[in-house]
Amino acid sequence: MRDSAPVLAIDGPGGAGKGTISRLVAERLGWHLLDSGALYRLTALAAAKHEVALDDEAALAEVARDLDVVFEARDGGTVVWLEGADATTTIRTEQIGDAASQVAALPAVRQALMQRQRDFLKPPGLVADGRDMGTVVFPDAPLKIFLTASASERAHRRRLQLQEAGVDASLSSLLKEIQARDARDMQRSVAPLKPADDAITLDTTRLTIPEVVDRLTELLAQRGLASAI
Ligand code: DC
């Protein structure tokens, strides 16, 4: 049965800290990790490689279904392989993020990635990071978090992240991109970005990463899903 192990579903807009928080909580608990956004990004990258147009829904769904991808845990991070090539940094560019947001709006692509995402659920548990983890992919998750932060705070964080990777980007252009992606993710007809009815919303604008990780661990412990560490 799918729910034989617990799922912590973490949804929210881009740049709210989901990736970092999810990885740290999974590490602390020794649970598996699903970075569902990476699957949409990989679909966009594979489509570019195979010259599939971003509006060819049937062909994109085939690309998504056939994705040859390996997630390899290494040095506290994840190395992502697409068709045998290291795609870890390529999938993080703004260009691929934008294409990912477009392919993610297509129902056939979302359907093609559904089972692949559910297959990540194995004992002792799964931290699932995305936009529709609590609403669509794992509706029975015993703890659902909607992680958010103000758009300007998210633009700041994205800028720092890019700077660390040696990329310079202006705050105003990042803010515009974040707002455009939020709008697309929230307005699409299939699996739009929104909190599940039973989700707990956590605004991280003024919280540090360790504070958020502690809060989530506490919530899991309160529900008997993990012992407080
Ligand atoms: O979280 P991210 O930035 O890596 O996600 C990339 C894109 O994929 C983003 O525009 C939203 C989309 N996405 C989605 O629609 N559903 C998910 N479960 C995860 C990501």
Side-chain angles (χ1 to χ4, degrees):
M1 215 180 88
R2 197 174 89 219
D3 292 338
S4 54
V7 180
L8 166 59
I10 304 186
D11 292 305
K18 286 178 292 136
T20 307
I21 301 294
S22 299
R23 183 171 51 77
L24 291 172
V25 173
E27 263 171 25
R28 195 186 275 198
L29 300 171
W31 286 13
H32 300 278
L33 176 66
L34 165 61
D35 173 1
S36 61
L39 293 174
Y40 290 96
R41 289 172 180 268
L42 286 158
T43 302
L45 179 60
K49 267 192 173 178
H50 298 291
E51 299 184 356
V52 173
L54 289 181
D55 58 357
D56 188 342
E57 182 164 359
L60 288 167
E62 212 174 298
V63 169
R65 211 170 8 252
D66 296 344
L67 271 188
D68 170 8
V69 54
V70 175
F71 292 94
E72 182 193 341
R74 197 195 285 175
D75 303 333
T78 305
V79 181
V80 184
W81 299 92
L82 177 66
E83 297 169 16
D86 186 346
T88 315
T89 50
T90 322
I91 59 165
R92 297 296 156 199
T93 62
E94 292 302 310
Q95 192 191 353
I96 291 293
D98 195 58
S101 169
Q102 292 181 53
V103 304
L106 303 172
V109 170
R110 304 198 73 85
Q111 192 52 42
L113 291 175
M114 187 73 78
Q115 194 54 46
R116 197 187 278 265
Q117 295 175 84
R118 289 181 173 159
D119 288 344
F120 276 76
L121 177 50
K122 293 189 185 104
L126 176 69
V127 180
D129 157 8
R131 303 292 192 287
D132 61 342
M133 299 295 98
T135 51
V136 178
V137 182
F138 300 107
D140 302 329
L143 182 59
K144 300 176 185 178
I145 301 294
F146 194 78
L147 211 62
T148 183
S150 69
S152 59
E153 172 66 19
R154 288 185 282 131
H156 266 291
R157 291 178 186 173
R158 187 75 91 196
R159 184 154 189 242
L160 280 178
Q161 231 174 22
L162 288 170
Q163 274 172 348
E164 276 164 21
V167 181
D168 204 19
S170 87
L171 211 51
S172 62
S173 68
L174 287 173
L175 184 60
K176 263 192 213 136
E177 275 163 25
I178 280 177
Q179 286 167 333
R181 200 168 305 163
D182 279 0
R184 187 155 49 214
D185 291 344
M186 288 189 287
Q187 285 159 16
R188 68 176 175 229
S189 56
V190 55
L193 170 64
K194 61 163 193 202
D197 291 338
D198 50 350
I200 296 174
T201 296
L202 199 58
D203 186 332
T204 70
T205 306
R206 288 186 181 76
L207 296 177
T208 64
I209 291 169
E211 283 170 341
V212 180
V213 172
D214 284 348
R215 180 85 190 104
L216 296 188
T217 317
E218 270 166 37
L219 284 167
L220 284 165
Q222 277 167 15
R223 290 173 187 219
L225 298 168
S227 54
I229 301 169

